[in-house]
Amino acid sequence: MQKTISYSHSRTFDLILSAMLIALVFVATLTLNIKLPIKANGGLVHLGTGMLFTASILFGSKKGAIAGAIGMGLFDVVSGWMLWAPITFVARGLQGYIVGKIAWSNGRKGNSIPFNLFAMIISVPFMIAVYYVGEAILYANWIAPLTSIPGDLVQNILGMIVAIPVCVLLKKTPIFK
């Protein structure tokens, strides 16, 4: 009698999937970004947010939090934004967790486009708040971080525009049925 192994529930598969999602967020943030000219200390609009949303919607809160926190935190470490890495870790981990938690609430498993959109929208103020407080502490100024908010909003809107069709298409594949 042959024993059937359920890879979807194995710890090894879980680890591999988490690593792949971290890499997806990291690479999308690293290679597909535009530095914003609207503030003195930098700021980026990148497709990593779209991949964070996608990971959270497709795989839930834990995977979304891990992918966002580590993927974008790692980007900060290797791209000269080291000071921002702890802030990014918290902001993007929280954002991924919120999106996944809402998208997977009441057994939805990321299958409701309106709830997925709602989840992404709800996560934005939390992400902005963490970056705002972090930047205010870093620069000892509670006014300057206000200049980051427009870029954060653009980045999140772009992420939603990317994530919704990507998730719709991927949900139609056999692996997600």
Side-chain angles (χ1 to χ4, degrees):
M1 176 178 242
Q2 187 176 6
K3 184 177 179 181
T4 305
I5 298 171
S6 174
Y7 287 107
S8 64
H9 298 296
S10 79
R11 290 169 65 180
T12 304
F13 180 82
D14 203 44
L15 181 63
I16 292 167
L17 181 58
S18 294
M20 290 175 67
L21 293 172
I22 290 166
L24 179 66
V25 170
F26 171 73
V27 169
T29 306
L30 182 67
T31 60
L32 304 169
N33 67 61
I34 301 168
K35 188 168 182 171
L36 296 175
I38 60 172
K39 57 185 229 169
N41 57 348
L44 295 173
V45 173
H46 53 75
L47 290 183
T49 304
M51 298 306 103
L52 161 63
F53 289 155
T54 300
S56 300
I57 290 166
L58 294 178
F59 299 102
S61 58
K62 182 179 175 185
K63 296 264 187 312
I66 290 169
I70 298 174
M72 288 192 209
L74 185 60
F75 164 80
D76 285 349
V77 169
V78 302
S79 300
W81 302 78
M82 181 66 162
L83 200 55
W84 288 92
I87 299 164
T88 296
F89 188 88
V90 173
R92 296 317 190 127
L94 180 61
Q95 189 171 31
Y97 180 82
I98 290 168
V99 172
K101 197 69 170 172
I102 294 171
W104 280 61
S105 64
N106 295 327
R108 284 186 193 86
K109 296 184 180 181
N111 290 320
S112 169
I113 295 171
F115 265 88
N116 296 346
L117 183 58
F118 176 71
M120 291 183 282
I121 291 168
I122 292 297
S123 77
V124 173
F126 290 94
M127 174 263 199
I128 289 173
V130 172
Y131 275 119
Y132 176 84
V133 170
E135 187 173 349
I137 292 168
L138 284 178
Y139 296 104
N141 182 326
W142 293 92
I143 303 301
L146 294 173
T147 63
S148 298
I149 294 173
D152 290 341
L153 291 171
V154 168
Q155 185 178 113
N156 280 280
I157 291 167
L158 178 63
M160 290 176 208
I161 291 169
V162 168
I164 291 170
V166 168
C167 289
V168 167
L169 288 172
L170 287 174
K171 285 285 188 176
K172 291 180 180 179
T173 64
I175 195 165
F176 289 105
K177 288 186 180 187

